[in-house]
Amino acid sequence: MQVFFEVTGNMFAFILLDDTNEIEPYYAHLLLHLTDELRQAGYTLEMRHDRNFDLTNVDGFLVSGALGSDFELLQSLTVPVVIYGTEPVIPSVDIANKAGTQLATNTLLDAGYARLIYLGIDMSEPFVVNREVGYRDAMLTAGRTTEIYHLPNDEHAAQAFLAGLKPVWQHRDCGCDRPIGIRCIAGWS
């Protein structure tokens, strides 16, 4: 890890703005790896979960769950800020959301799934849009019809929706001999 600014407190703050009832458990892995890397470079990682960006003894912020409404504040901070996500005006890191969803959709198509249902989050953040584009592109390339549902970013809402779909997605009930694929883009269990 290279540091390109003056170190004052040897601490980074990880700001988790996501609702912890709605996020995937992969954050635990992300935090463990960040902690290990920062410790090797002589830093500590402090966890925070609010929008109080206290700069005392902080050399930078790693922010997860930032929304468009947060960007003005994040840009005004006097220490480096990196967000987990996609934003052209703030340094950011993210996965290839479009490519990942396209790959997952193609894998289901190649496996012979009769019908692919896409469950997306009902919000217009870039990662949401990119994931849906990946699904749409794969389906269009394959000459298949898309079936897209937008749900709140809430595990219980997703479970209720899937419970209502259950008779439809069980392949023996759909009048075909191939299974139904469901692609969810959030961390719903």
Side-chain angles (χ1 to χ4, degrees):
M1 172 179 287
Q2 293 181 321
V3 180
F4 298 102
F5 53 91
E6 185 178 335
V7 176
T8 58
N10 286 350
M11 181 176 67
F12 280 88
F14 184 87
I15 311 295
L16 184 63
L17 298 177
D18 298 285
D19 181 341
T20 56
N21 293 321
E22 299 175 354
I23 61 172
E24 299 178 50
Y26 80 88
Y27 276 102
H29 296 285
L30 173 66
L31 289 172
L32 289 173
H33 292 293
L34 280 171
T35 301
D36 290 345
E37 290 295 318
L38 288 170
R39 184 176 36 240
Q40 289 176 14
Y43 290 90
T44 59
L45 183 67
E46 177 181 277
M47 280 290 299
R48 299 181 184 179
H49 60 88
D50 57 28
R51 286 174 167 78
N52 178 10
F53 292 93
D54 179 8
L55 301 178
T56 306
N57 296 323
V58 175
D59 295 315
F61 290 102
L62 306 170
V63 182
S64 176
L67 301 175
S69 58
D70 297 311
F71 295 155
E72 186 176 332
L73 172 63
L74 294 175
Q75 288 177 301
S76 72
L77 297 175
T78 58
V79 297
V81 175
V82 175
I83 66 168
Y84 184 70
T86 305
E87 176 52 42
V89 298
I90 296 176
S92 60
V93 295
D94 202 354
I95 60 171
N97 287 295
K98 178 184 172 190
T101 304
Q102 196 164 12
L103 178 63
T105 303
N106 284 331
T107 299
L108 293 172
L109 290 168
D110 292 345
Y113 281 79
R115 178 175 162 203
L116 297 182
I117 300 170
Y118 180 87
L119 304 181
I121 302 172
D122 190 17
M123 60 190 330
S124 61
E125 293 296 321
F127 78 94
V128 175
V129 172
N130 288 333
R131 290 176 184 179
E132 187 171 316
V133 168
Y135 166 79
R136 287 181 183 277
D137 286 356
M139 295 296 280
L140 178 65
T141 300
R144 301 283 292 274
T145 303
T146 61
E147 186 174 352
I148 298 171
Y149 298 94
H150 297 110
L151 306 174
N153 191 17
D154 177 276
E155 177 182 0
H156 302 293
Q159 287 173 344
F161 180 83
L162 289 172
L165 260 182
K166 190 171 184 177
V168 175
W169 59 264
Q170 291 176 332
H171 72 276
R172 65 180 176 276
D173 296 332
C174 74
C176 60
D177 61 354
R178 294 180 294 163
I180 305 299
I182 298 176
R183 173 69 175 110
C184 301
I185 72 156
W188 304 313
S189 305

